[in-house]
Amino acid sequence: MAMKQLEDMMAESEQRVETVKIPSEGATLTGKAYWPKGNPKSSIIIHGATGVPQLFYARFARWVSEQGHLCLTYDYRDFGASKQTHPRNSSATMADWGLLDQQAAFDALLKLADTPQKHVIGHSLGGFMLPFHSNLDKVDKVTTVACGQVYWRDHHLPYFFMVILFWYLLGPIATRLKGYLPGKALGLGADMPAGVYWQWRKWCTSPTFYSSDIGGVLPQMNPNPYKGPIKIIGFTDDETAPKASIDRMEPLYKDAQIIRQTLNPADFELKEVGHLKAFTKQNEALWPEILEVS
């Protein structure tokens, strides 16, 4: 065995990773708590992107714990390690994931340890639902990564054609036929409940995104908005969340101390980042930017 592999195994064995059961309204979520070797300097939660399991963030979460922080990852209801039924039988919606599950997971983070600061890292879906959360007064720092209020007309060719197929042809047909979004068959990596797809589709095909649902499916936004520092990170090669969609994030956090970054992979000597790859091992040069807010 190579010396580097042996060193990595030894380092991993010294860190504690704890499975956490998280009660959420109508569901129980499964998470992983990555503990540092000593007392944690802060507590960090990762709210994942749509259809991205918590395992995808494991290397990043372990690295965060190596920097001295407690890091919690988890899967949304009826998905990943939290899946308790086939997605065909699930009534979960994107609002359930972004409101009930995200808030429940953050509350679970608070119970794990009493640390001086609490930091929310939101990847895509993980960032645009925060203004509705009731526990914003307990959040000290926020980072959103590849997160935008995406409208289908924002996209450029040739990616535009893929979006049309997903929202207006293959996605609706496959979801109606199967009773769930067959993400694996469509090359999206994971199957998801139909309710998640239909609400996702509704928002991304509307120029007002989820505004029409506020006061109905969605509650009113928190009357005491988040006022702390927030770093909004986008990438020049992200076709899924282009600049126009990320621009729409700033009004959601108009009372916050906004730091805006549009990162070019080439500036970090990276080949590509796109929408999903900021948290992968090959792009770890980006991780300090994600972890540090100010």
Side-chain angles (χ1 to χ4, degrees), residues 190-212:
D191 298 336
M192 287 177 271
V196 172
Y197 172 76
W198 291 122
Q199 198 164 53
W200 188 17
R201 179 185 184 275
K202 178 183 179 182
W203 295 349
C204 289
T205 56
S206 168
T208 61
F209 201 61
Y210 51 39
S211 294
S212 63

Side-chain angles (χ1 to χ4, degrees), residues 20-255:
V20 180
K21 291 297 182 181
I22 302 168
S24 183
E25 184 178 324
T28 299
L29 315 179
T30 298
K32 294 283 187 182
Y34 295 78
W35 292 89
K37 293 177 183 177
N39 292 328
K41 295 184 290 187
S42 72
S43 300
I44 297 174
I45 190 166
I46 301 174
H47 294 317
T50 307
V52 179
Q54 65 175 314
L55 185 61
F56 180 77
Y57 304 99
R59 284 187 179 273
F60 175 76
R62 190 175 293 279
W63 174 84
V64 168
S65 70
E66 290 169 356
Q67 311 313 304
H69 310 278
L70 165 63
C71 187
L72 177 64
T73 66
Y74 67 98
D75 283 313
Y76 299 119
R77 66 184 61 203
D78 296 336
F79 181 77
S82 299
K83 186 166 67 175
Q84 297 178 330
T85 185
H86 191 279
R88 181 185 294 109
N89 304 318
S90 173
S91 61
T93 65
M94 184 164 276
D96 291 335
W97 284 8
L99 294 175
L100 302 180
D101 296 349
Q102 287 181 9
Q103 290 189 95
F106 183 73
D107 287 340
L109 178 74
L110 299 179
K111 293 175 182 178
L112 286 173
D114 184 13
T115 56
Q117 287 200 322
K118 289 80 179 176
H119 181 183
V120 172
I121 296 176
H123 183 200
S124 194
L125 164 64
F128 60 67
M129 297 298 285
L130 295 178
F132 298 100
H133 292 188
S134 61
N135 47 20
L136 290 175
D137 58 312
K138 298 179 176 65
V139 178
D140 297 296
K141 297 191 292 185
V142 174
T143 302
T144 68
V145 180
C147 176
Q149 290 197 325
V150 179
Y151 179 45
W152 68 276
R153 291 183 183 271
D154 293 335
H155 303 288
H156 303 290
L157 296 173
Y159 189 77
F160 179 82
F161 293 122
M162 295 175 59
V163 171
I164 294 297
L165 286 173
F166 184 60
W167 294 135
Y168 291 103
L169 187 62
L170 295 182
I173 291 174
T175 301
R176 287 193 175 97
L177 288 175
K178 292 285 191 178
Y180 65 97
L181 175 66
K184 291 179 183 178
L186 295 178
L188 298 176
D191 298 336
M192 287 177 271
V196 172
Y197 172 76
W198 291 122
Q199 198 164 53
W200 188 17
R201 179 185 184 275
K202 178 183 179 182
W203 295 349
C204 289
T205 56
S206 168
T208 61
F209 201 61
Y210 51 39
S211 294
S212 63
D213 278 340
I214 295 176
V217 174
L218 300 177
Q220 296 296 324
M221 291 186 178
N222 191 326
N224 299 306
Y226 175 71
K227 298 178 181 179
I230 177 171
K231 182 185 283 188
I232 298 175
I233 299 176
F235 300 100
T236 57
D237 65 337
D238 185 354
E239 295 182 299
T240 302
K243 182 180 181 297
S245 70
I246 298 176
D247 288 343
R248 299 186 193 104
M249 289 290 294
E250 292 198 30
L252 299 177
Y253 295 99
K254 58 185 176 63
D255 296 290

